[in-house]
Amino acid sequence: MKKRNIIIDCDPGIDDIVALCFAFANEENFNILGITTVAGNQTIEKVTDNATGLMSFLNKDIKIAKGVSRPLVREKKPASGVHGENGVGDYQFPHTKEIYSDNAITFLRDTIMASEEKVTLVPVGPLTNLALLIKTFPEVMEKIELLSIMGGSTDGGNVTPSAEFNVWADPEAARIVFDSKLSIVMSGLNVTHSTGLYREDVDHLLKSSGKITKMCGEILNFYFKGDHVKEGTFTPIHDACAIMYLVHPELYKFRHMDVVVDCSEGMNRGNTVADVRDWINYDETYPKVLVDVEMEKFREILLENLYKLDEVYK
Ligand code: BDR
Ligand code: CA
C-alpha cells in the first residue's frame, strides 16, 4: 500500500487517544504530517494538553497545532459525562512536549500546500477547524485527497435521539464540510456502534504490562463507568473507525448518498439526513457512507495493533 499523507484533527477524548495509537501502529502506511486539536469532548486547552500529553508519554515528535476553542455559532458544551473532566477519563499523562503551533488553520493550510502529494484529513471531532480551513483558504481543496470523517449517523444519535456528538457540537461547520464536494468517507454511529471492544478485552488491556495497552485499558475502563455503554458489555471506539477505513477498507460495506446536516434548533439539531433509499443512485461525488463493518475482524485488528505498539514504546 502506498504511504498516505494524513493529518488527524481530533478532540482527545478517550477514543481519540486509542485512534491516535492505532494510527501510530500503522506508520508503515501513513506519513503523519501533524495532529490538530479542536474543542469538543473537552475545552481546547484540555484536549490539546491530552494530545501533547500522549506525545510526551510516548516521547514522540509529531507536530501538534492547537485549533479552535468553540463552535462557529453554538455554545460549547463538553462531553464530561463520557470522557471525564480532563477528557481522558482522569488518566494523567506526563507533560514534556509542547505544541508546534497555536493556529491549526494556518498550520493545516501551510502543511497541505507544502506537501508534494495530496493529503488525507481524518477529522474525529467537531468539524470547526475544517470548515474554517476550507472557507478561509479554499486553495487547499485541490490538495485534499479525502476526508475520513468520524461523525454523523444514518439511523439515530448518541447525544440526542437524532444526532451524533461531533456533528451536533458544530452543525454549521459540519454543513460546510458536507456541502464542500470534497471526497468524504463517513464513519457514522450506524457503523461505529459496532467498532469497539468487549468488556473482557478491556479487562485484558488493564492487566497488561505493556505501556500502550495498559494506558488504553485504563482510559477505556472509564467508558464503562458511564451509562452510555450498552449493558456494560461492549464499548464503541468510534474514532478508530475512521483510521481503520484507511488501512482496511475491505472490512466495510458502503454506499454513496446525499448527506444534509440539519442546522435547526431542537431535536433535529445536528441530524445528518442521509438518503438511504437504495433505489436512488448517487455517484461518487456524494459522500461514501459506511453502512456495515466486519465487527470481529475490526476488534482483532485493533487489539493486535495496540499490542504491536507495546513493542515499539517501552
Ligand atoms: C464522537 O464523539 C466523541 O465523544 C468521540 O470522541 C467521537 O469522536 C462519537 O459520537
Ligand atoms: Ca473524537
Side-chain angles (χ1 to χ4, degrees):
M1 186 189 284
K2 187 165 167 259
K3 263 196 170 191
R4 200 186 262 277
N5 288 329
I6 65 168
I7 301 175
I8 303 170
D9 184 65
C10 57
D11 59 338
I14 294 172
D15 57 330
D16 304 71
I17 294 283
V18 178
L20 288 168
C21 290
F22 182 52
F24 301 158
N26 279 282
E27 286 194 75
E28 72 272 21
N29 297 309
F30 298 136
N31 294 315
I32 306 177
L33 304 182
I35 294 170
T36 52
T37 59
V38 62
N41 288 323
Q42 266 302 345
T43 62
I44 191 64
E45 285 72 26
K46 289 182 187 177
V47 300
T48 308
D49 267 5
N50 293 336
T52 53
L54 179 64
M55 294 306 122
S56 309
F57 178 72
L58 301 176
N59 194 20
K60 189 171 178 67
D61 289 308
I62 292 183
K63 291 174 183 166
I64 304 228
K66 183 179 180 179
V68 180
S69 64
R70 49 158 299 165
L72 295 183
V73 178
R74 315 286 173 140
E75 287 302 310
K76 166 89 207 81
K77 289 218 178 87
S80 308
V82 179
H83 297 266
E85 279 308 318
N86 76 349
V88 282
D90 302 333
Y91 192 87
Q92 299 299 321
F93 284 117
H95 286 287
T96 52
K97 303 274 182 193
E98 303 279 330
I99 54 169
Y100 171 82
S101 155
D102 63 3
N103 188 330
I105 314 301
T106 52
F107 172 80
L108 283 163
R109 190 263 323 257
D110 294 347
T111 310
I112 293 167
M113 297 312 284
S115 173
E116 268 180 34
E117 304 272 333
K118 286 188 173 184
V119 177
T120 292
L121 303 179
V122 191
V124 295
L127 289 158
T128 322
N129 288 338
L130 272 283
L132 287 170
L133 174 71
I134 59 186
K135 283 291 179 194
T136 318
F137 302 115
E139 65 273 20
V140 296
M141 291 175 68
E142 277 189 359
K143 297 202 65 184
I144 296 177
E145 172 108 45
L146 176 70
L147 304 180
S148 181
I149 297 177
M150 191 285 125
S153 174
T154 62
D155 62 2
N158 52 3
V159 66
T160 71
S162 65
E164 181 281 326
F165 176 79
N166 290 336
V167 175
W168 175 89
D170 196 343
E172 286 74 19
R175 175 167 297 178
I176 290 170
V177 172
F178 274 94
D179 286 356
S180 67
K181 292 284 171 205
L182 284 165
S183 175
I184 288 175
V185 172
M186 175 176 128
S187 295
L189 295 178
N190 53 296
V191 283
T192 67
H193 272 150
S194 306
T195 60
L197 296 177
Y198 295 111
R199 171 74 261 183
E200 302 88 81
D201 298 325
V202 174
D203 286 340
H204 275 114
L205 293 172
L206 270 172
K207 287 189 201 130
S208 167
S209 54
K211 184 170 170 147
I212 309 302
T213 44
K214 187 162 177 47
M215 179 274 288
C216 288
E218 289 182 20
I219 61 173
L220 287 169
N221 193 39
F222 189 87
Y223 271 158
F224 287 97
K225 297 179 183 163
D227 59 5
H228 55 281
V229 175
K230 195 178 169 195
E231 293 159 6
T233 56
F234 181 86
T235 180
I237 304 178
H238 306 281
D239 293 347
C241 188
I243 302 281
M244 184 71 84
Y245 171 79
L246 299 175
V247 195
H248 289 287
E250 75 282 0
L251 299 188
Y252 298 91
K253 290 203 176 91
F254 65 85
R255 291 207 342 253
H256 289 277
M257 295 177 202
D258 194 11
V259 178
V260 177
V261 179
D262 192 320
C263 293
S264 62
E265 300 296 335
M267 284 301 249
N268 276 323
R269 164 181 168 177
N271 185 5
T272 41
V273 182
D275 192 348
V276 293
R277 293 173 296 173
D278 58 8
W279 62 92
I280 310 271
N281 284 321
Y282 286 103
D283 64 28
E284 294 189 353
T285 61
Y286 286 87
K288 183 188 257 193
V289 177
L290 303 183
V291 293
D292 201 5
V293 58
E294 292 190 50
M295 179 174 173
E296 284 303 323
K297 282 203 183 137
F298 182 101
R299 171 185 159 265
E300 277 165 28
I301 294 170
L302 177 63
L303 283 172
E304 199 179 282
N305 276 266
L306 295 178
Y307 282 102
K308 184 175 105 184
L309 212 54
D310 281 338
E311 299 307 313
V312 184
Y313 300 98
K314 301 269 184 191

